Amino acid sequence: AQTVTQSQPEMSVQEAETVTLSCTYDTSESDYYLFWYKQPPSRQMILVIRQEAYKQQNATENRFSVNFQKAAKSFSLKISDSQLGDAAMYFCAYLTPYSGGSNYKLTFGKGTLLTVNP
Amino acid sequence: DAGITQSPRYKITETGRQVTLMCHQTWSHSYMFWYRQDLGHGLRLIYYSAAADITDKGEVPDGYVVSRSKTENFPLTLESATRSQTSVYFCASKGDFYGYTFGSGTRLTVV
């Protein structure tokens, strides 16, 4: 079974600074998707960014980018120019993208709580 | 509005009672999921459904029952609630291109 590990239960960053959240995963598959979700205090799950394993280029969405190291099974999230609104719980998630055995089930890490200090 | 609606948003129930959490989607997504979120555990899959009348267990199914008679509805029932089932419950559906949409969650407290 696939597992997702987020080794940092909590992180903090100063406003306007850069922070990196870590995520590692374990899989025997070669084709998969990885996601970062943000959960603010409202509880809503918001997709931040996603990466297809077959793509060598790291995904980027505005101030959010990932460092995808397929061989190391590492998928870290970098938030640049941190803003107060970035404060949230962040979840890393894994998906095997075919309906055979996985049935499109997302597997989540335990989360990292990010605090942004003014 | 299009999306996933969960109800209720908050629920307090007593140990031993049956409680049903509702989930409704306005699309016709085939795949739907129930997760529970607990501090220190992230989100764990309880049950999922590939289509109407097709459901299967996830990682933590004990004490829960699901049904899916219609594509748009996927209720989760706690047959006899226990304190260990105090949690936040999320319903989700899979759209095109692996886009997942989550409901706003139900915070359930079992006293």
Side-chain angles (χ1 to χ4, degrees), chain B residues 92-108:
Chain B
S93 72
K94 187 193 87 64
D96 294 333
F97 307 108
Y98 310 111
Y100 289 78
T101 302
F102 289 81
S104 55
T106 295
R107 180 177 293 278
L108 176 68

Side-chain angles (χ1 to χ4, degrees), chain B residues 3-111:
Chain B
I4 288 189
T5 304
Q6 286 187 241
S7 61
R9 186 158 173 80
Y10 298 93
K11 176 74 176 179
I12 299 174
T13 192
E14 295 178 340
T15 301
R17 291 208 181 247
Q18 182 181 82
V19 60
T20 296
L21 309 184
M22 304 301 294
C23 178
H24 173 79
Q25 59 153 324
T26 56
W27 307 285
S28 297
H29 292 166
S30 295
Y31 281 84
M32 296 186 74
F33 309 85
W34 274 106
Y35 288 88
R36 62 176 288 174
Q37 181 181 0
D38 304 288
L39 193 62
H41 291 278
L43 279 79
R44 293 178 292 175
L45 183 65
I46 305 171
Y47 268 94
Y48 64 96
S49 171
D53 297 322
I54 301 176
T55 63
D56 206 349
K57 297 177 180 178
E59 182 185 357
V60 288
D62 293 344
Y64 303 95
V65 174
V66 294
S67 62
R68 197 167 174 204
S69 58
K70 294 183 178 180
T71 299
E72 61 267 29
N73 295 324
F74 189 38
L76 176 73
T77 297
L78 287 66
E79 294 184 298
S80 178
T82 65
R83 290 198 178 93
S84 65
Q85 293 177 309
T86 293
S87 187
V88 178
Y89 292 85
F90 285 96
C91 179
S93 72
K94 187 193 87 64
D96 294 333
F97 307 108
Y98 310 111
Y100 289 78
T101 302
F102 289 81
S104 55
T106 295
R107 180 177 293 278
L108 176 68
T109 302
V110 183
V111 298

Side-chain angles (χ1 to χ4, degrees), chain A residues 33 35 37 39 41-45 47 50 89 91 95-99 101-111, chain B residues 9-10 31 33 35 37 39-43 45 48 50 57 88 90 94 96-100 102-107:
Chain A
Y33 284 69
F35 305 82
Y37 282 91
Q39 186 184 47
S42 67
R43 288 208 307 252
Q44 191 63 42
M45 293 288 286
L47 177 65
R50 81 178 200 182
M89 181 72 84
F91 291 100
L95 171 72
T96 306
Y98 49 83
S99 64
S102 80
N103 277 294
Y104 302 112
K105 295 175 286 186
L106 281 170
T107 300
F108 288 88
K110 294 181 179 181
Chain B
R9 186 158 173 80
Y10 298 93
Y31 281 84
F33 309 85
Y35 288 88
Q37 181 181 0
L39 193 62
H41 291 278
L43 279 79
L45 183 65
Y48 64 96
K57 297 177 180 178
V88 178
F90 285 96
K94 187 193 87 64
D96 294 333
F97 307 108
Y98 310 111
Y100 289 78
F102 289 81
S104 55
T106 295
R107 180 177 293 278

Side-chain angles (χ1 to χ4, degrees), chain A residues 27-57:
Chain A
T27 183
S28 59
E29 304 291 338
S30 59
D31 186 21
Y32 48 87
Y33 284 69
L34 296 164
F35 305 82
W36 279 99
Y37 282 91
K38 171 185 178 182
Q39 186 184 47
S42 67
R43 288 208 307 252
Q44 191 63 42
M45 293 288 286
I46 302 166
L47 177 65
V48 175
I49 201 166
R50 81 178 200 182
Q51 175 80 42
E52 293 88 339
Y54 65 86
K55 291 185 177 179
Q56 292 186 336
Q57 186 172 6

